[in-house]
Amino acid sequence: AYLSVSNAYLYISGDADIILGIRNIGLTPVKWFEVASRVKRIKNQEEAQFTANNQNVEVTRWNTTIYGEEISIPAYSPSPQEYPSLREMRKDLINNQEYGFAVEGFLRWETIFSEVFESEFYFYNPNVADKDGRITMAHPSIELRTYKILNVKK
């Protein structure tokens, strides 16, 4: 089982939300997976930097056997301190040429062979347009850990 966050979608209608698309590209199912994520405001035109760690993310776990197709889950992410909600952050960033959104974090899972793996993800949207609907966030060219084995249970 090899999981990856294949997409991130920013929904800007209503309360605003970020949905992650997760795909198992391996040949076996997983016992469980968890996502640790956070949303941050980024300065456009600056190099993307992965800054998530175990202290500044919110972790959610699912017990499932995803295989093959992409499943969508919300990125249960706390908003940056200066914003009370993702909706307020979105309102501040609409048509802002200087700042945009990013979502970053970890994806962890356990295989049917009791191995636990972790991969990092990072997606961004430099310009939040003033329109409703779904925006596919971009994936920058930065070095992220992928398929790192964390431990082997006996």
Side-chain angles (χ1 to χ4, degrees), residues 15-51:
D15 286 337
D17 205 358
I18 294 178
I19 303 294
L20 301 174
I22 297 178
R23 185 179 300 272
N24 181 354
I25 59 174
L27 298 177
T28 57
V30 298
K31 291 182 181 178
W32 56 261
F33 73 94
E34 62 186 17
V35 176
S37 61
R38 76 179 193 133
V39 174
K40 65 181 183 178
R41 186 177 74 160
I42 57 167
K43 189 165 186 163
N44 293 332
Q45 313 309 320
E46 285 187 358
E47 186 175 332
Q49 293 184 1
F50 184 85
T51 57

Side-chain angles (χ1 to χ4, degrees), residues 101-149:
F101 276 100
V103 60
E104 64 181 358
F106 311 94
L107 173 63
R108 295 183 189 106
W109 65 95
E110 184 177 356
T111 70
I112 60 172
F113 306 109
S114 298
E115 298 169 316
V116 177
F117 286 87
E118 179 179 270
S119 289
E120 298 171 338
F121 62 89
Y122 186 105
F123 293 90
Y124 72 99
N125 187 350
N127 188 5
V128 181
D130 188 11
K131 64 178 185 175
D132 288 344
R134 181 178 92 169
I135 297 170
T136 301
M137 299 177 76
H139 192 320
S141 296
I142 61 174
E143 190 172 321
L144 299 170
R145 287 183 302 127
T146 56
Y147 312 125
K148 179 182 184 324
I149 192 162

